[in-house]
Amino acid sequence: DNADYFSQWGIQVQNHSYGTRIENFYGAMATAYDVQAWENPNVLHVFSSGNAGLEVANEGKYAGVGGFANLTGNFKMAKNTMLVGAVDTVDKLVPFVSNGPTFDGRVKPDLVAYSVFGSSNAAALTSGVSLLLQEKYQRIHLEPAPAPLLKAILINSAKDIHTPGPDFKTGFG
């Protein structure tokens, strides 16, 4: 969608709960989402990490490394979006959910949310929470919250789980 579409319809959060195959590179789609984030800084794109966590990348820097670098779609390598993985009700990893790092070693997913059905549901829940934060911000400040602020609030309010500090399976928590 072009930047005008978001403004015309008042869209401030867009959920992307889909994937392709494991693509561990920064491609045209990742570039397009990063450009769009700069053109329309009030739109937060929330992506699911994918459900290829049991698969192994066949190409790229992390080819053959099991359990890592199996994000589904080069668009998930974008730098100015939110990528969400999944955990169960007791914060345990869902084994089939895709993990980072990105092609260049960045921490992804950014965070995880509840869903035993995969990262699509977790991304949808995170999108919903983002909209609630957006609504509260607008009530106080009478303007939309910048997407980087929403992303920062979500990341900094996440509970650190799995291993201490950021990791490639649960991000920042």
Side-chain angles (χ1 to χ4, degrees):
D1 300 318
N2 66 44
D4 294 337
Y5 177 81
F6 297 102
S7 298
Q8 176 185 355
W9 294 102
I11 298 169
Q12 297 164 334
V13 176
Q14 190 174 44
N15 182 62
H16 302 269
S17 289
Y18 52 84
T20 57
R21 59 182 178 83
I22 296 173
E23 294 181 333
N24 206 344
F25 60 92
Y26 188 86
M29 294 298 292
T31 301
Y33 278 107
D34 279 338
V35 168
Q36 190 173 80
W38 282 102
E39 290 175 350
N40 199 342
N42 292 329
V43 176
L44 177 63
H45 292 281
V46 180
F47 287 93
S48 61
S49 65
N51 295 327
L54 301 175
E55 297 178 33
V56 177
N58 294 325
E59 55 191 22
K61 186 188 317 187
Y62 303 103
V65 177
F68 292 95
N70 47 28
L71 304 172
T72 57
N74 81 79
F75 46 91
K76 296 178 182 187
M77 301 292 158
K79 298 170 181 158
N80 300 305
T81 60
M82 167 83 50
L83 190 69
V84 181
V87 292
D88 67 14
T89 56
V90 292
D91 296 336
K92 299 293 181 206
L93 298 172
V94 177
F96 62 86
V97 171
S98 296
N99 305 292
T102 61
F103 74 101
D104 59 356
R106 284 178 288 122
V107 171
K108 290 290 181 180
D110 295 299
L111 52 81
V112 292
Y114 166 73
S115 176
V116 294
F117 300 110
S119 62
S120 293
N121 289 358
L125 288 171
T126 302
S127 295
V129 170
S130 300
L131 285 167
L132 292 172
L133 289 170
Q134 182 64 267
E135 180 182 33
K136 182 67 173 180
Y137 186 94
Q138 282 186 296
R139 284 185 180 173
I140 295 169
H141 300 284
L142 305 177
E143 63 183 19
L149 177 61
L150 292 177
K151 183 177 175 181
I153 290 169
L154 291 167
I155 287 172
N156 285 289
S157 62
K159 179 175 81 174
D160 190 17
I161 58 174
H162 187 56
T163 59
D167 63 71
F168 300 129
K169 293 192 179 276
T170 62
F172 293 88

